[in-house]
Each structure stands twice: as C-alpha cells, then as structure tokens.
Amino acid sequence: MFDKDVYIRRRRSLLEKMGETAAEGKRGIAVFVGNAEAPAQYRDNCYKWRQDSSWLYFWGLDEPLYGAVIDLDCGEETIFADDQDIDDIVWSGPLPSVRELASKAGVLKTAPYKGLDAVVAKALGQGRRVHFLPPSRYFNTMRFMDLTGWSREDVTAVAPGEGRHASRELVEAVVSLRLIKEECEIVEIDAAGAIGQEMHTVGRLSARPGVKEQEIVGKMEGVTLSKGWGVSFPTILTQHGETLHNHGHDGILEKGRLLVIDAGAESNSHYASDFTRTLPVGGKFSPKQREIYQIVCDANEKAFALTRPGIAYRDVHLAAARVILEGLAAAGLVRGSIDDMVAEGIAGMFMPHGLGHNIGLDVHDMEDLGENLVGYDPDQTRSPQLGLGNLRMARVLKPGHFISNEPGIYFIPALIGQWKSEGRDKGFVNFGKLAEYYDFGGIRLEDDVLVTEDGARRTGPSRLPIQPDDVEAAMQ
Ligand code: GLY
Ligand code: MN
C-alpha cells in the first residue's frame, strides 16, 4: 500500500471532478465496495484473493468485505467494515482493527459493513444521487442489487444522470484519474515488468523440443509467484498462436514450430505487466517464419517510434497495420494499393485485434468500467472493422499513459475461409498463396510502453530479445 497521502490526494481529485458534474447540494454520494472472498467449494476454500482495482486505487486496503462512501456534497468519507471476531482470529490470524486500517488510507470515520445499507437507503429516500461503478464481480452485482433494490440489468448498466444505473459521471472521473499513471505507480509497473521479463527469460531458456508446454508455464509462473503476487492474466503459451488467447498447455514442443508466449506478472502491489514473444522451437526460424516474423517486428518498432504525446493510438494502430500490409504484399499474400487496403481494414484478417490496451492495476486497465469510456476520447467512435474495431485504446496519447504495443500476424483457417467465401477481402488477398500458410500458426510481439513528456519508453530493466537474430542467439 502507498502512503496515505496518495489515497487522500486521489479522493480529493475525485471529489473535485465529481463537483464539476452537479451543483453543490445536488451531488449525492459515491459508494465503493471492495471484493468479497469467492469460495471455490466450501466456504473457507476460496479462489485466490484479489481486491477490486478501483477500490485499491482510492482506498488501498487489501482485505475482503470493505465498503466506503464519499458524501460528494460535504466531502465526508466513511469506511464500512467489521472488526474480526474470535473465529476470524483463530482461523485467519489477527489483523489491525478497521479503524487502524482505515487510518492507513487517511480515513478517520468507520462503521460496520452492514451500515452501508442504511446510508444508501437514506440517500435514495432523500432523492439524492447514488453514484457507483459498474461491479465487475457477481458478488458485488448482488451487493448493489441489495443496496439499491434495483435489478441486475440496472446496476450493471452505465448511464449519465438520474435513474437506476451505475454512474457514468463516476466512471468518467475514475477513468480520467487512473489513466494517467503517477510516479509511484510507474515504479510499480516497472517492477511488474522486471518480473514479467524474468518469466519470459525462464520460458525462452526452457523452450526446447520435447518439453511439455505445461512444464514451461509452471516454471514461468513460479517466477512471479516467488517475486510478486502471481500472473497478471492466465498465461498464453502455445504452438497454436493463431488462436489469440489459447489457454491450453497440453502440447509438447516440436522442432520447427513457433511458440507464442504471452504472459505477465502482477506485483505484490497489484500492478501488471504483459509481454509477448514468439520463439522458433529448436532455436532457428525457417526462412518462411523469419519473413513473417520480421514484418511483425517492424510493426512493433514502427508503433513504438510513433508513440508520443499528441498522437492518437488509433493512428499508431493504423501505421502498424500499414507496415503489416506492406510486408504481406512483399510476401505475395496481398496485392493492390496499400492506402486502399488500410482504408478497407484488410489487415484485420491477419491481425483481428487492436494494437494495444491500457495497463495499470489491471492488465487490461479498467476495461470492467466500459471499454469505450476507457479507451476512446469523447470525439472518437469505434470502427466496425475487424481489427481496428477491436482496438481497446484509441485515445490521443498523454504523458502518463501506460499501454501495450502488440502487433501480430495470424493465419486463422476459419477466418480466412469466411473472408474468402464472403468476398470480404475485396480482391486484395491472394488466397492461392495464402493456402501455403494454413498451418503456419501466429506471431505476436508485445512490449509495455510508458508515454513520457516528449516520447515514450518501454517498461522493465531491459527489453526482451525481439529482432530475429537476437532471439536465435538468446536461445542458444
Ligand atoms: N496479454 C493478453 C491480452 O493483452 O489480451
Ligand atoms: Mn496485451
């Protein structure tokens, strides 16, 4: 947990921002709930504990069953939680009192957890606005249904103004704060980057023909479990990289195949990293693999070179798409005007995802609050095209944005078949040549990037090898 001043400052900023959306006396209350434990089977056998990220951001306390209210009209803050009973102490060990923990977050007033119900009921009864974020977990969805008496659809919907829904004003205020990383957060994301890079180094050195994918995953995850909280998302490690989020690990590494490793660490303070590298099993790319790999590598480098304050990440995505199309044209897989192909979204058949997303307390930072509210400026609309339309971070970049840069090329037979049968390629794709790539797999190369005052820098102490010669040398 950071020093209490960090949390006090964040909540003061939130209060100021919420003050801009309504006149004094009309602002209402902002209600936050942390996560509850989630039993896997019997009550005390729970899934690994993870606190809600927006709760962590404003209140810092990493314990289950906490709630809080900020009165947006008078600024009063209250934390709602229960002190331990003797059973808790016997089974889970003693903890400081709620009052002591609350003081670490700079909050003086505390009340029992159930006290939150009466506060919300009173505010609703007085016709005051009750602002809350859309809950990301089912338990908290039910908690807000209980607190408000509204339906599941109501409490998970985000809309502005009065009504039975989560608060768009609060989402926008929270997003505007969490999007710009503070110095103390940047230190933590770099720390998560260092662990993530160590995971990848262990993975790369273990990736030899005959080894089980599962064995490598175990070694990699052991690194972050021994140095941080664990993985920042379920590890993707597969020789079927054409499946973008392939979580199966039952393969055995075969010489000559490509291994996609997309994995990251979460630091003990819950900040994330997220890196992808694609390795040639056996240590040498075939000429065909190297040609496609180099295109993805060039797209990654181009995207990084363009990343700086003032450019929309949407335009960086399109620049990466252009590099991919130019490379595929040189390989004979597409043909025609590059400008027209970029405009028609032809890159989407080869890269059906966006260039990147925000990274912070979540690996896909704040996407539980609504992808468009997080990743799009008010004057940007999301494209309907495959690929560009899957871009989660399109905003004009500002110093303090932490984003992933993760271009890829994938040969997905079912998608190629669909585009071919529906003529979606508009004549740009050389399907005859493409037939030679049906068993190629996929390639993705991902770094985490901080937008600085005058450009950008990558996370972590040293960049993972990415140029094909460097990857081959590092695998020897
Ligand atoms: N690393 C997984 C993702 O970005 O979706
Ligand atoms: Mn990513």
Side-chain angles (χ1 to χ4, degrees):
M1 179 168 184
F2 299 122
D3 188 83
K4 67 175 181 237
D5 293 343
V6 171
Y7 304 100
I8 292 170
R9 189 181 64 235
R10 290 173 177 174
R11 293 193 303 268
R12 195 175 300 139
S13 299
L14 183 67
L15 190 61
E16 279 166 20
K17 282 184 184 290
M18 292 302 288
E20 292 162 11
T21 65
E24 208 173 327
K26 299 270 181 222
R27 291 174 191 154
I29 61 173
V31 181
F32 290 82
V33 289
N35 280 335
E37 292 274 22
Q41 303 103 18
Y42 76 97
R43 201 197 71 171
D44 282 347
N45 187 19
C46 297
Y47 290 106
K48 188 173 176 180
W49 163 248
R50 173 58 156 85
Q51 182 58 287
D52 175 81
S53 294
S54 289
W55 173 273
L56 280 176
Y57 185 83
F58 289 106
W59 310 92
L61 301 175
D62 204 357
E63 298 296 328
L65 290 180
Y66 268 66
V69 167
I70 305 177
D71 189 312
L72 300 171
D73 289 306
C74 69
E76 184 180 70
E77 300 170 337
T78 311
I79 280 185
F80 297 84
D82 295 327
D83 281 320
Q84 292 175 299
D85 61 20
I86 188 65
D87 235 27
D88 299 323
I89 293 168
V90 168
W91 286 92
S92 311
L95 271 181
S97 68
V98 170
R99 184 168 286 279
E100 284 171 85
L101 287 174
S103 74
K104 290 182 191 290
V107 179
L108 299 177
K109 191 166 172 222
T110 63
Y113 185 66
K114 283 299 280 178
L116 191 54
D117 299 54
V119 171
V120 173
K122 183 174 171 197
L124 289 173
Q126 291 173 334
R128 299 183 76 196
R129 291 284 310 275
V130 175
H131 298 269
F132 57 90
L133 301 172
S136 56
R137 293 242 189 127
Y138 294 123
F139 180 91
N140 282 345
T141 300
M142 291 189 289
R143 185 82 183 99
F144 277 112
M145 289 166 68
D146 284 347
L147 285 168
T148 58
W150 303 347
S151 71
R152 182 173 63 83
E153 290 73 20
D154 290 339
V155 301
T156 53
V158 179
E162 308 275 347
R164 298 160 80 98
H165 48 68
S167 166
R168 176 154 172 171
E169 294 88 337
L170 186 62
V171 168
E172 288 178 340
V174 169
V175 166
S176 70
L177 291 171
R178 283 183 58 188
L179 262 184
I180 305 296
K181 271 57 186 184
E182 301 162 347
E183 204 45 54
C184 61
E185 297 184 283
I186 292 168
V187 169
E188 289 300 324
I189 300 174
D190 274 330
I195 304 172
Q197 290 180 345
E198 195 174 329
M199 289 170 71
H200 273 264
T201 301
V202 166
R204 185 178 65 246
L205 295 175
S206 310
R208 290 184 306 278
V211 176
K212 278 188 190 161
E213 292 170 354
Q214 181 181 359
E215 192 179 321
I216 307 172
V217 172
K219 286 184 179 164
M220 291 177 64
E221 296 193 355
V223 172
T224 181
L225 285 168
S226 62
K227 302 201 170 187
W229 179 84
V231 292
S232 53
F233 59 97
T235 298
I236 297 161
L237 187 147
T238 178
Q239 295 167 100
H240 279 287
E242 75 281 7
T243 302
L244 304 183
H245 280 184
N246 193 335
H247 291 301
H249 301 139
D250 51 0
I252 295 179
L253 265 52
E254 291 171 35
K255 188 171 180 197
R257 294 188 67 180
L258 291 171
L259 179 69
V260 171
I261 305 182
D262 182 348
E266 183 167 316
S267 70
N268 281 327
S269 55
H270 303 297
Y271 284 86
S273 63
D274 183 8
F275 301 105
T276 309
R277 288 296 184 262
T278 304
L279 307 172
V281 180
K284 276 261 171 237
F285 291 103
S286 71
K288 187 174 173 182
Q289 288 170 340
R290 186 178 263 261
E291 181 178 34
I292 302 298
Y293 184 99
Q294 190 66 58
I295 302 169
V296 181
C297 194
D298 291 348
N300 175 298
E301 297 289 1
K302 179 73 180 179
F304 180 70
L306 290 173
T307 299
R308 59 174 186 274
I311 190 168
Y313 211 48
R314 181 183 186 280
D315 292 335
V316 182
H317 171 106
L318 288 170
R322 175 177 291 275
V323 171
I324 286 170
L325 288 166
E326 286 168 351
L328 293 173
L333 291 166
V334 295
R335 57 203 162 193
S337 151
I338 300 289
D339 283 347
D340 291 349
M341 280 192 269
V342 172
E344 295 291 347
I346 303 305
M349 194 188 79
F350 299 95
M351 184 173 101
H353 61 70
L355 181 65
H357 50 85
N358 289 286
I359 298 173
L361 279 163
D362 312 318
V363 66
H364 279 214
D365 210 24
M366 295 177 281
E367 287 181 12
D368 57 327
L369 303 182
E371 277 184 32
N372 291 350
L373 292 174
V374 173
Y376 285 73
D377 287 324
D379 61 349
Q380 289 178 318
T381 46
R382 203 157 172 159
S383 163
Q385 289 176 349
L386 184 66
L388 181 58
N390 299 77
L391 180 62
R392 295 152 186 274
M393 172 56 170
R395 286 180 183 267
V396 174
L397 297 178
K398 294 181 182 167
H401 282 157
F402 232 118
I403 49 183
S404 72
N405 167 14
E406 51 179 310
I409 294 180
Y410 314 87
F411 297 94
I412 308 169
L415 185 64
I416 295 168
Q418 187 212 33
W419 276 51
K420 187 176 178 188
S421 68
E422 295 178 6
R424 288 179 66 174
D425 70 303
K426 307 212 163 111
F428 289 112
V429 174
N430 180 353
F431 286 107
K433 177 90 175 159
L434 200 51
E436 298 165 21
Y437 288 77
Y438 273 38
D439 62 354
F440 184 96
I443 293 173
R444 178 163 63 251
L445 297 172
E446 177 178 27
D447 296 315
D448 301 347
V449 176
L450 171 68
V451 182
T452 60
E453 290 297 326
D454 54 0
R457 73 161 174 82
R458 300 184 184 93
T459 337
S462 60
R463 194 180 185 200
L464 292 163
I466 191 165
Q467 290 295 333
D469 285 345
D470 297 339
V471 172
E472 289 182 351
M475 291 186 77
Q476 296 314 307

